[in-house]
Amino acid sequence: MDIKRLLLAALIFIPFLPFSAQAEPMNFAYLQATGLVNTELEFGGVSADGNGLGIRGSWIYGPYVFSDFRFDDADLNRGTSSQYFAGRLGLRTALDIRKPMRMDIYAMITAEDIDLERRIGGTTTNLIDNTGAGVVVGGRFGPFYPIEVGAEYSYTDFGQNSSQFFSVEGIWNASNWLGIVLEYRNGTYELNTRPDIDRTDVNLGIRLQFGGDDI
């Protein structure tokens, strides 16, 4: 896939989101505590896995604009650790489909910081320690209450390095105020001077939702 074309398509797509067909929107206002149940890295013939903790948050500004953030901190075996932060700003729209089904699509710009390091003896090696910017496109689909599913693709340019990730999640809304989230995320850090790093995350989160769909 031509990444430059993907970026251009996403940026062209963003301004038209507010003019799409409108329906009842889904909830994009929440604070979420996340357990990184299993994080796996593969780099240069080495495999490392472990777990950690994370936090997510999202807020909306009117019917279309929203922002979110995520921070993950994972300790893995083989002396490896990972810290990741992303702050994102985007536009969403709700598609007009047959009730009770609901669907939102969105596009975002993102700023990310990733720090993966490995300690062997008294020596610490930075596998990747970069800050960059990228784009995200995704959607959320509610076939029936209280179930939702979502998927998104992200590309981030770190200068000489880059990353591509695809994630899917399932959400069980125990109420308008509480949700349980299961996420699977897989992708690659494509490095210019080192072997690429493949990453897979399985995360389980508890989400406090602010006001359900009424915000």
Side-chain angles (χ1 to χ4, degrees):
M1 179 181 294
D2 190 323
I3 297 302
K4 291 183 178 179
R5 291 182 181 178
L6 175 66
L7 293 173
L8 180 60
L11 292 174
I12 292 175
F13 176 61
I14 287 176
F16 291 95
L17 281 174
F19 303 101
S20 302
Q22 292 300 298
E24 182 183 6
M26 305 178 85
N27 184 19
F28 280 74
Y30 60 82
L31 185 65
Q32 176 180 319
T34 302
L36 280 64
V37 178
N38 188 54
T39 294
E40 297 182 357
L41 299 177
E42 293 188 5
F43 52 93
V46 177
S47 296
D49 64 85
N51 50 54
L53 296 173
I55 186 170
R56 315 272 191 273
S58 179
W59 194 253
I60 58 176
Y61 313 93
Y64 308 117
V65 181
F66 74 106
S67 63
D68 67 21
F69 76 91
R70 64 185 295 164
F71 174 76
D72 293 336
D73 189 352
D75 288 322
L76 297 84
N77 58 14
R78 299 184 181 273
T80 307
S81 63
S82 167
Q83 288 190 332
Y84 168 77
F85 174 81
R88 315 190 304 180
L89 177 67
L91 292 171
R92 65 168 187 164
T93 190
L95 301 183
D96 189 8
I97 60 177
R98 184 184 298 273
K99 293 185 176 181
M101 295 187 296
R102 298 179 299 167
M103 185 170 184
D104 279 17
I105 57 174
Y106 57 86
M108 311 183 76
I109 55 176
T110 178
E112 298 186 18
D113 182 81
I114 177 65
D115 182 6
L116 297 177
E117 62 181 29
R118 187 184 187 199
R119 177 180 291 273
I120 302 177
T123 303
T124 299
T125 301
N126 286 320
L127 302 175
I128 178 173
D129 184 5
N130 286 161
T131 299
V135 295
V136 178
V137 291
R140 286 172 58 182
F141 174 62
F144 55 87
Y145 190 84
I147 301 299
E148 297 177 23
V149 293
E152 69 176 35
Y153 170 83
S154 66
Y155 172 80
T156 304
D157 186 347
F158 295 109
Q160 291 186 335
N161 304 321
S162 64
S163 71
Q164 298 186 64
F165 277 86
F166 178 76
S167 65
V168 293
E169 67 177 12
I171 306 170
W172 175 58
N173 294 292
S175 71
N176 279 349
W177 301 93
L178 183 66
I180 307 298
V181 183
L182 180 63
E183 178 191 36
Y184 173 83
R185 184 170 178 262
N186 178 264
T188 302
Y189 297 104
E190 299 170 344
L191 309 184
N192 187 46
T193 59
R194 296 176 180 270
D196 292 349
I197 303 173
D198 295 324
R199 176 169 183 158
T200 300
D201 295 295
V202 178
N203 304 323
L204 181 64
I206 299 177
R207 177 175 294 184
L208 179 62
Q209 304 177 142
F210 302 110
D213 296 318
D214 297 331
I215 292 181

